Each structure stands twice: as C-alpha cells, then as structure tokens.
Amino acid sequence: SVSRPSNEENVVTDFEESYVLREKDGKIALFIRYANGDEILHSDYDVSVSLLPKNDREELKSGIELSSLNEAMQLVEDYVG
C-alpha cells in the first residue's frame, strides 16, 4: 500500500477506481468502477463463460472486484489461457 500525504487524501479518494470482471452477454468483460459507483466497460473478451468451471461462472456472475488493472489483466490471462 502506498502512503499518501494527508492533505491529498480527499483529492485522491474522489478518483479511486477499482476493476470488476464479470459476465456480459455470455462473455468475460472488464469494467472500471469509480468511487461514486459508476461503471464503464473497459474491454470485453471473446471467452465464453459457459466453458468455464462452475465456480468461475458463479464468481463472474456476481462480479470479481480487483484493485488494479494489472491484477485484473492477470486474472483475464488465467481465463483466456
């Protein structure tokens, strides 16, 4: 975890974002979730969720929240192969 000067704390948290990997139209999709709860599609992948193990399908249905793009991309690579 990176420590930030306290005077910047409020500014930074306004822009904090996380990434959510979930099913979209039967495929894996990555969304950016902003601090205010808004989400936008970052990218989608030609990987059919129906081909994944049941546990993975259930996790993707509810959404897997990740703290960084790097972490999200590593998980995508696991699914894509």
Side-chain angles (χ1 to χ4, degrees):
S1 152
V2 177
S3 68
R4 299 182 180 103
S6 57
N7 63 341
E8 292 181 21
E9 197 71 39
N10 293 338
V11 175
V12 173
T13 50
D14 287 346
F15 297 102
E16 272 185 6
E17 55 196 41
S18 58
Y19 296 84
V20 181
L21 202 59
R22 76 157 55 99
E23 177 183 351
K24 177 183 180 287
D25 303 327
K27 308 275 188 186
I28 294 176
L30 179 63
F31 294 84
I32 300 173
R33 179 182 292 159
Y34 294 98
N36 65 2
D38 288 351
E39 290 184 2
I40 60 164
L41 180 64
H42 179 276
S43 44
D44 48 8
Y45 303 90
D46 194 24
V47 177
S48 180
V49 172
S50 63
L51 300 176
L52 299 173
K54 185 180 181 191
N55 284 354
D56 291 340
R57 290 197 310 264
E58 288 175 357
E59 284 184 354
L60 287 164
K61 196 170 190 175
S62 57
I64 304 168
E65 190 164 350
L66 303 146
S67 57
S68 71
L69 182 57
N70 189 40
E71 193 180 355
M73 297 312 294
Q74 286 179 342
L75 189 56
V76 166
E77 283 180 23
D78 289 346
Y79 288 126
V80 174

